[in-house]
Every structure is written in C-alpha cells, then in structure tokens.
Amino acid sequence: MTDIAQISADQLNALSLDELKSLERKVAKAIAGFEDRQRQAALAALEVKAKELGFSLAELTGVAPKAKSRGVPKYANPANPAQTWTGKGRRPDWFIAALEAGKSPEDLSL
C-alpha cells in the first residue's frame, strides 16, 4: 500500500474532481471508523475497570445503556395480535398475505 503521506500535491492535482471526491469520502469513512474503534476500546477499558471496582459503567456514570427502540407498532396481525409491525422496513409476511386477501392497511392498523 502506498504511504498516503507520500502523495504529492502534483499527484493530487492530477486527479479528476470525481476521483478527489471519492478519495474524500473514503478518508471521511476511514476517520469515522477509526474514531468509532477508539471510542469502543475506551468504553471497553472503562467497563473492565468499573467491574474491577465492583460496579458497572452505567452505575458510575448514572447513564443507563441505550436500548434500541423498535418504534411504535402501527399494524397488527388480526389472526395473532402479538405480531405487530411499525410500518417501517420490510413488510412482514402476514401483512402481505392480508393485503393479498383483500384487506387494506387501515384494516390492520391499531
């Protein structure tokens, strides 16, 4: 791999606008990935230290770990109301089957 620090201004000037923008996107993505890895490593080290002291990191910081929200269900399967869908993402099989059976989305809404 070419050492990026060795790229001269002349070499950069020889690139087209599309090539420069592509390079810019790749560099931005690499920077974000590096920062994410550093952040995760720091959090892991802090969690280990907190456990050594008999605590969780959440206890020490007073911040509960974030739970991923799946959103508020908008539709339910009439045959099994426990099966719900938020209306985002891939449509579940039961939703597709109900539409094919002649139901409307409004018929399935909560």
Side-chain angles (χ1 to χ4, degrees):
M1 182 173 161
T2 304
D3 185 4
I4 196 77
Q6 300 300 320
I7 295 177
S8 69
D10 289 337
Q11 289 172 311
L12 287 173
N13 288 334
L15 297 175
S16 70
L17 181 59
D18 286 342
E19 291 170 324
L20 288 169
K21 286 185 178 189
S22 174
L23 181 60
E24 180 181 35
R25 284 190 300 274
K26 289 176 184 176
V27 169
K29 186 175 180 181
I31 289 170
F34 177 83
E35 290 172 344
D36 286 344
R37 288 189 306 276
Q38 293 296 100
R39 186 177 298 106
Q40 292 302 319
L43 283 171
L46 290 172
E47 188 67 49
V48 167
K49 188 62 178 176
K51 283 184 183 185
E52 287 174 5
L53 298 171
F55 299 98
S56 72
L57 188 56
E59 288 175 314
L60 295 176
T61 60
V63 177
K66 291 183 181 178
K68 287 191 175 183
S69 172
R70 294 185 156 231
V72 177
K74 217 172 161 181
Y75 303 100
N77 183 352
N80 181 359
Q83 293 180 329
T84 60
W85 180 48
T86 63
K88 296 181 182 176
R90 192 176 75 88
R91 295 187 297 178
D93 292 336
W94 61 261
F95 188 85
I96 295 168
L99 293 178
E100 289 173 353
K103 296 212 182 251
S104 71
E106 292 77 28
D107 295 334
L108 305 171
S109 64
L110 294 173

